[in-house]
């Protein structure tokens, strides 16, 4: 029985690629140095899978930024602004598209389906001249083959690539991206031909858009694409991989009838309904890659249950055509439990990171072939039983409080217009008030202080003194820049979710459980293993210290319940909404304590609310109902004069704007600049927004510093569709990943642009 891995984490067990990328970007190392680190990591990953007995090992899943940008490079679809003149695309052009450069902003970045991973959105139009401009897929295949490992090269499928793209600047929004299918297929043919020539026997096309709601025209594009590729694919085994949800019945019929395709991969963890489609009819002689090991969470597989599922599938497709697989790429999980010596032993026994999932896949394949490792299955069963019966998982008081939420929608008693009037009387802010989103640059010295405090190398007194000094520096800088509503810069926090999880019950933490978010940015998601509550205040101490340093309003900074949920590895033994309500009650306690301590502006970030939206429209309403309700729970008890902010970033928001309004926040700051101000189009189309709103005026994920004129131009575009008295001026997101040499001039220009517009508006009266 064969085994397969859809994809694997690329940062390395100790984030080796992250540090190599940042060293290269800072000019401290060469391209050769970066390539050496990447090559060593790839080799290690391939050898690990080969040693574990995996038959179908992926290659070309190792991206320096993301796999969609890799495909853009492969197709030579470089926007003209980056000055590419043909030839093989190197790091200069590649990273300019991802991060921007001195003369050009970065391309738009958005979430990869409903994950916290991001991709660079291709910008396409009728004038794009596609050409085969990156031979990375072939190079990596040959690299693995030289090690004696025959891999399955992975490509983003041609139809999904186009459906994940957007019309370039100057191209009509109604332009059909699928009309470019005939233009990109010749490039795919060249790549496939080179892979065949290099000796590849299998090739994997990732077509995850097949799990979304597609009309017949879009589905027809899959049939057309693979019919056109059929002759080139002849002699190869071809796998079409889907993931993240069920494949709809109509899409399943189209998929399983594609020409030139040998096998089909399905997510049978999040796509359990697909099982019924397979049992109802699967094409004779085709391979089924059954994704029964969860690629998006860290819980140990229920091996006995998975084996039962595989047995049922074997009866449908035949023993020689069933391949055990992960549900999706393991990119979305942590790398290896071996790097967690300090993790609680009992909780550790409940978990499986990427390395352990590789072993689970192979153990299931062997068991299905009649070579079951009884000891491995027995240890797994004992761990599952331990988790089910552990008293640390359940807190009856928390469950009772969450159950008591039913019957109320938890809205504030006064409408937002009246609240804004009361808040303005208290805060006395100018029009177009300026603020930032929360974090300030995390310097090497600051990270050292936190690291030494955690390692008990410095005292709590020394740590507190150092953090106070950092807060004071950030406060004084904002006052010098003349920002209106201040933040304390979050120097005590390494990560916005981890910080809160460490202070809530029901959470566990890893030392090296890093997961890539975008580029070199990694996050370390907490593990929610039990019922959640707040033993004591979490932010009141630092917020009150920061407020005491200034007469200007100081925001209390919290992460919202939906974002904590979506950016954690969540328990899978109860519905997600139940866990979210528990977190909401904990945050509600914190909000009310901040208000009692005199904090009059409280920001409750919900950066990941849109990210958790199910991929199928039929499931949207239920998710948005409990997600929005969870946010309202957190602040339903505060006074009218307490201003509640929230923040959202790097997703498409226009389709949920009414749910955003229903959150009933007083002010929302929201990513806007990197997505070409698409957010503003919803207001041009007539949506009325009565609360305060701050669409971001510059992209903080790029080192580029925008000019005052550029920012003023953005504000003017906002004023064309939004009322002056509700508009705020702020960056797209937090500033922790930037350097002070970038932040100071950028914020100075933000404030200058706001003052310029205030002056112009006053003169126009």
């Amino acid at each position: 029985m064969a085994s397969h891995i859809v994809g694997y984490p690329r940062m390395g067990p100790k984030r080796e690629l992250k540090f190599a990328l940042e060293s290269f970007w800072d000019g401290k190392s060469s391209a050769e140095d970066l390539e050496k680190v990447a090559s060593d990591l790839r080799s290690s990953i391939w050898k690990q899978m080969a040693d574990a007995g995996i038959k179908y090992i992926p290659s070309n899943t190792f991206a320096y930024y993301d796999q969609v940008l890799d495909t853009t490079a492969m197709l030579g679809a470089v926007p003209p602004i980056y000055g590419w003149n043909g030839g093989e695309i190197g790091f200069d052009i590649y990273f300019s598209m991802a991060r921007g450069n001195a003369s050009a902003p970065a391309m738009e970045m958005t979430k990869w389906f409903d994950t916290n991973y991001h991709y660079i959105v291709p910008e396409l139009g009728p004038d794009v001249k596609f050409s085969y401009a990156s031979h990375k897929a072939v190079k990596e295949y040959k690299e693995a083959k030289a090690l004696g490992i025959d891999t399955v090269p992975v490509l983003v499928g041609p139809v999904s690539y186009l459906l994940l793209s957007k019309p370039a600047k100057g191209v009509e929004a109604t332009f059909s991206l699928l009309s470019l299918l005939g233009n990109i297929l010749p490039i795919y043919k060249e790549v496939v031909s080179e892979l065949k020539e290099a000796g590849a026997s299998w090739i994997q096309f990732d077509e995850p858009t097949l799990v979304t709601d597609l009309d017949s025209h879009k589905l027809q594009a899959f049939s057309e694409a693979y019919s056109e590729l059929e002759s080139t694919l002849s002699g190869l085994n071809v796998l079409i991989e889907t993931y993240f949800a069920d494949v709809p019945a109509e899409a399943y019929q189209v998929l399983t009838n594609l020409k030139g395709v040998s096998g089909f991969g399905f997510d049978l963890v999040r796509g359990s309904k697909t099982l019924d489609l397979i049992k109802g009819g699967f094409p004779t002689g085709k391979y089924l890659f059954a994704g029964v090991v969860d690629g998006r969470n860290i819980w140990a597989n229920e091996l006995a249950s998975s084996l039962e599922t595989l047995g049922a599938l074997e009866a449908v497709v035949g023993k020689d055509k069933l391949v055990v697989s992960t549900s999706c790429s393991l990119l979305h999980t942590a790398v290896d439990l071996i790097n967690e010596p300090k993790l609680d032993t009992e909780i550790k026994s409940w978990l499986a990171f990427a390395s352990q999932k590789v072993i689970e896949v192979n153990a299931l394949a062997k068991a299905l072939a009649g070579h079951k490792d009884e000891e491995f299955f027995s240890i797994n069963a004992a761990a599952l039983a331990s988790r089910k019966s552990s008293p640390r998982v359940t807190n009856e008081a928390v469950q009772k409080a969450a159950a008591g939420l039913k019957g109320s929608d938890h809205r504030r008693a006064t409408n937002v217009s009246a609240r804004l009037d009361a808040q303005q009387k208290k805060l006395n802010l100018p029009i177009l008030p300026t603020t930032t989103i929360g974090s300030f640059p995390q310097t090497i010295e600051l990270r050292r202080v936190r690291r030494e405090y955690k390692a008990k190398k410095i005292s709590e007194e020394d740590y507190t003194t150092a953090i106070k000094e950092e807060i004071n520096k950030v406060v004084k800088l904002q006052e010098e820049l003349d920002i209106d509503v201040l933040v304390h810069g979050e120097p005590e926090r390494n990560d916005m979710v981890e910080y809160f999880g460490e202070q809530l019950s029901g959470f566990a933490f890893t030392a090296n459980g890093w997961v890539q978010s975008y580029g070199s940015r990694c996050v370390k998601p907490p593990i929610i293993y039990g019922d959640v509550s707040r033993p004591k205040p979490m932010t009141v101490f630092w917020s009150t210290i920061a407020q005491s340093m200034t007469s200007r309003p100081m925001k209390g900074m919290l992460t919202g319940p939906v974002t904590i949920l979506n950016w954690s590895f969540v328990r899978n033994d109860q519905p997600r909404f139940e866990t979210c309500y528990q977190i909401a009650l904990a945050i509600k306690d914190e909000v009310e304590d901040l208000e009692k301590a005199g904090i009059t502006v409280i920001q409750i970030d919900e950066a990941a609310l849109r990210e958790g939206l199910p991929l199928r429209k039929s499931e949207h309403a239920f998710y948005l109902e409990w997600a929005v309700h969870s946010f309202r729970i957190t602040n339903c008890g505060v006074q009218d004069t307490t201003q509640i902010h929230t923040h959202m970033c790097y997703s498409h928001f226009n389709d949920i704007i009414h749910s955003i309004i229903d959150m009933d926040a007083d002010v929302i700051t929201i990513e806007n600049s990197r997505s070409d101000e698409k957010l503003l189009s919803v207001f041009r189309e007539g949506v009325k927004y009565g609360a305060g709103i701050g669409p971001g005026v510059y992209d903080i994920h790029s080192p580029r510093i925008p000019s005052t004129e550029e920012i003023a131009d953005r504000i003017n575009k906002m004023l064309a569709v939004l009322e002056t008295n509700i508009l705020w001026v702020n960056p797209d997101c937090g500033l922790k990943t930037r350097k002070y040499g970038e932040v100071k001039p950028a914020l100075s220009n933000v404030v200058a642009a706001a003052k310029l517009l205030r002056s112009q508006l006053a003169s126009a009266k």
Side-chain angles (χ1 to χ4, degrees):
M1 188 60 58
S3 50
H4 167 250
I5 304 297
V6 176
Y8 201 81
R10 55 181 80 115
M11 280 289 119
K14 299 289 178 69
R15 297 181 290 163
E16 291 89 341
L17 183 61
K18 167 191 171 65
F19 299 122
L21 283 166
E22 291 173 355
S23 177
F24 174 71
W25 293 337
D26 289 343
K28 296 176 182 176
S29 60
S30 66
E32 291 74 21
D33 294 331
L34 176 57
E35 288 172 338
K36 175 68 166 59
V37 171
S39 178
D40 288 347
L41 284 171
R42 285 194 296 267
S43 299
S44 172
I45 290 165
W46 292 327
K47 287 175 182 175
Q48 177 193 347
M49 284 191 257
D51 291 345
I54 301 299
K55 181 175 180 179
Y56 300 113
I57 297 171
S59 62
N60 197 42
T61 60
F62 194 99
Y64 286 98
Y65 214 87
D66 77 74
Q67 66 272 29
V68 179
L69 184 61
D70 282 2
T71 310
T72 295
M74 182 185 85
L75 297 170
V78 181
I81 194 172
Y82 299 107
W84 178 59
N85 296 313
E88 186 80 3
I89 289 175
F91 284 151
D92 54 345
I93 297 297
Y94 182 87
F95 288 129
S96 289
M97 290 190 285
R99 307 179 72 241
N101 58 38
S103 59
M107 292 168 69
E108 179 185 351
M109 181 170 69
T110 197
K111 296 289 174 73
W112 177 246
F113 294 84
D114 58 347
T115 75
N116 186 32
Y117 183 65
H118 300 67
Y119 73 96
I120 302 297
V121 183
E123 300 173 6
L124 307 177
D127 297 330
V128 176
K129 300 290 188 291
F130 296 99
S131 64
Y132 188 11
S134 171
H135 293 66
K136 177 177 173 291
V138 179
K139 182 182 173 185
E140 281 194 21
Y141 174 78
K142 289 179 176 178
E143 186 181 325
K145 194 173 183 183
L147 297 171
I149 300 171
D150 189 29
T151 59
V152 179
V154 179
L155 301 174
V156 175
V159 182
S160 288
Y161 176 77
L162 292 175
L163 292 176
L164 293 168
S165 302
K166 69 173 187 177
K169 288 180 182 176
V171 175
E172 288 292 326
T174 55
F175 173 72
S176 171
L177 293 159
L178 288 176
S179 68
L180 299 172
L181 189 59
N183 300 37
I184 68 171
L185 288 178
I187 316 299
Y188 274 88
K189 288 180 181 180
E190 285 189 71
V191 179
V192 170
S193 296
E194 281 197 11
L195 287 168
K196 279 170 67 174
E197 189 178 333
S201 56
W202 276 86
I203 188 167
Q204 175 179 318
F205 290 100
D206 282 5
E207 293 281 13
T209 55
L210 278 163
V211 305
T212 62
D213 296 310
L214 300 177
D215 58 33
S216 57
H217 169 65
K218 289 174 181 174
L219 288 174
Q220 180 62 27
F222 288 94
S223 300
E224 292 171 1
Y226 289 94
S227 292
E228 177 65 25
L229 289 171
E230 184 181 13
S231 60
T232 308
L233 294 171
S234 177
L236 274 173
N237 288 298
V238 177
L239 165 64
I240 305 292
E241 186 66 53
T242 68
Y243 36 77
F244 297 153
D246 286 298
V247 175
E250 189 179 354
Y252 179 82
Q253 290 303 317
V254 170
L255 171 61
T256 52
N257 282 287
L258 291 179
K259 293 182 178 179
V261 176
S262 315
F264 310 96
F266 298 105
D267 182 337
L268 300 181
V269 176
R270 290 187 172 230
S272 55
K273 293 176 187 174
T274 306
L275 276 170
D276 295 330
L277 294 174
I278 295 168
K279 291 173 182 177
F282 190 79
T284 305
K286 301 291 186 181
Y287 289 87
L288 170 61
F289 286 68
V292 294
V293 173
D294 193 350
R296 286 187 58 175
N297 216 328
I298 42 67
W299 303 107
N301 188 269
E302 295 186 14
L303 294 177
S305 175
S306 293
L307 193 58
E308 187 178 331
T309 298
L310 290 165
L313 292 172
E314 185 181 69
V316 175
V317 305
K319 184 181 285 286
D320 63 332
K321 296 297 181 185
L322 182 61
V323 180
V324 182
S325 184
T326 53
S327 64
C328 62
S329 173
L330 297 176
L331 173 71
H332 308 289
T333 190
V335 178
D336 196 340
L337 273 172
I338 201 170
N339 298 314
E340 303 300 333
K342 295 181 181 178
L343 188 60
D344 178 274
T345 305
E346 183 184 29
I347 293 173
K348 192 173 180 178
S349 74
W350 303 342
L351 308 178
F353 290 0
S355 290
Q356 288 69 46
K357 289 176 187 294
V358 169
I359 295 167
E360 288 179 337
V361 166
N362 198 53
L364 286 166
K366 287 170 66 178
L368 205 58
H371 306 291
K372 185 178 179 182
D373 184 335
E374 295 291 352
E375 183 182 4
F376 188 76
F377 272 69
S378 176
I379 292 170
N380 174 260
L384 295 174
S386 159
R387 183 179 168 210
K388 197 169 186 180
S389 61
S390 177
R392 67 202 305 178
V393 169
T394 306
N395 182 324
E396 289 185 11
V398 171
Q399 292 191 351
K400 186 177 179 181
L405 294 171
K406 293 172 184 173
S408 171
D409 62 4
H410 297 91
R411 292 183 185 277
R412 292 171 76 177
T414 311
N415 68 42
V416 69
S417 177
R419 297 198 309 261
L420 288 174
D421 286 344
Q423 292 155 16
Q424 178 57 15
K425 286 175 184 172
K426 188 167 188 175
L427 298 172
N428 193 29
L429 298 172
I431 60 166
L432 307 180
T434 54
T435 190
T436 63
I437 306 305
S439 61
F440 264 64
Q442 299 264 316
T443 62
I444 293 172
E445 173 63 17
L446 182 56
R447 293 179 190 277
R448 182 193 62 77
V449 167
R450 282 202 309 263
R451 190 169 57 248
E452 291 186 353
Y453 176 62
K454 248 183 176 175
K456 296 185 168 59
K457 291 182 179 178
I458 61 172
S459 68
E460 183 168 356
E461 184 180 351
D462 288 343
Y463 170 75
T464 300
T465 299
I467 297 299
K468 282 182 180 178
E469 288 174 357
E470 184 69 21
I471 292 172
N472 190 55
K473 181 178 82 174
V474 169
V475 170
K476 292 293 178 277
L477 172 61
Q478 292 171 93
E479 288 183 330
E480 288 167 13
L481 292 168
D482 205 15
I483 292 172
D484 300 303
V485 176
L486 310 191
V487 297
H488 76 292
E490 303 175 10
E492 78 283 16
R493 308 177 194 183
N494 179 60
D495 177 87
M496 61 187 285
V497 174
E498 183 180 14
Y499 176 79
F500 289 97
E502 284 178 337
Q503 301 182 79
L504 295 169
S505 62
F507 282 75
F509 294 87
T510 63
N512 291 292
W514 298 100
V515 178
Q516 186 181 14
S517 178
Y518 64 87
S520 67
R521 170 84 169 125
C522 298
V523 294
K524 201 165 38 153
I527 298 164
I528 305 177
Y529 67 84
D531 291 332
V532 178
S533 61
R534 186 198 72 146
K536 62 182 181 180
M538 301 180 286
T539 65
V540 175
F541 176 75
W542 294 118
S543 292
T544 51
I545 283 174
Q547 183 62 82
S548 72
M549 294 175 177
T550 181
S551 59
R552 302 185 186 211
M554 173 65 64
K555 284 197 259 187
M557 299 299 304
L558 305 175
T559 303
V562 184
T563 297
I564 290 176
L565 183 87
N566 285 335
W567 286 358
S568 298
F569 291 125
V570 183
R571 58 191 294 191
N572 58 0
D573 59 346
Q574 72 177 15
R576 289 173 69 86
F577 70 85
E578 289 186 15
T579 303
C580 198
Y581 284 154
Q582 292 178 0
I583 302 169
L585 287 171
I587 300 300
K588 180 176 187 288
D589 290 343
E590 187 71 13
V591 168
E592 291 172 5
D593 279 349
L594 281 168
E595 184 182 57
K596 287 174 192 170
I599 304 300
T600 55
V601 181
I602 302 171
Q603 181 169 308
I604 309 166
D605 284 350
E606 283 296 13
L609 187 137
R610 173 63 174 78
E611 173 187 310
L613 191 70
L615 300 178
R616 305 284 283 284
K617 289 178 182 174
S618 60
E619 300 169 15
H620 286 190
F622 178 64
Y623 167 78
L624 289 168
E625 179 187 348
W626 63 255
V628 169
H629 187 192
S630 294
F631 176 82
R632 289 202 306 264
I633 288 167
T634 65
N635 60 88
C636 62
V638 301
Q639 300 172 26
D640 287 356
T641 50
T642 298
Q643 190 167 84
I644 299 295
H645 288 224
T646 191
H647 171 67
M648 295 182 179
C649 57
Y650 299 102
S651 288
H652 298 297
F653 299 108
N654 292 20
D655 55 346
I656 63 161
I657 190 66
H658 293 289
S659 294
I660 292 173
I661 293 169
D662 199 37
M663 291 170 72
D664 199 28
D666 296 311
V667 178
I668 180 170
T669 53
I670 196 162
E671 182 270 326
N672 170 69
S673 62
R674 185 156 184 171
S675 57
D676 296 331
E677 300 161 342
K678 277 191 292 195
L679 173 70
L680 300 185
S681 66
V682 77
F683 302 113
R684 293 189 193 100
E685 291 160 10
V687 171
K688 298 298 180 187
Y689 194 78
I693 183 167
V697 296
Y698 87 94
D699 172 27
I700 64 86
H701 288 95
S702 169
R704 183 175 169 274
I705 299 165
S707 66
T708 299
E709 293 72 24
E710 181 182 332
I711 295 169
D713 182 58
R714 286 192 188 279
I715 298 171
N716 270 320
K717 289 177 181 176
M718 297 170 192
L719 288 170
V721 292
L722 292 165
E723 296 294 329
T724 308
N725 64 333
I726 65 169
L727 186 61
W728 285 64
V729 179
N730 47 262
D732 264 350
C733 205
L735 303 168
K736 68 182 293 182
T737 61
R738 301 268 56 89
K739 297 180 174 64
Y740 273 104
E742 300 157 353
V743 165
K744 288 179 183 178
L747 290 181
S748 177
N749 292 348
V750 167
V751 173
K755 289 181 176 180
L756 175 66
L757 268 295
R758 287 173 196 160
S759 174
Q760 290 175 357
L761 288 167
S763 300
K765 283 184 179 178

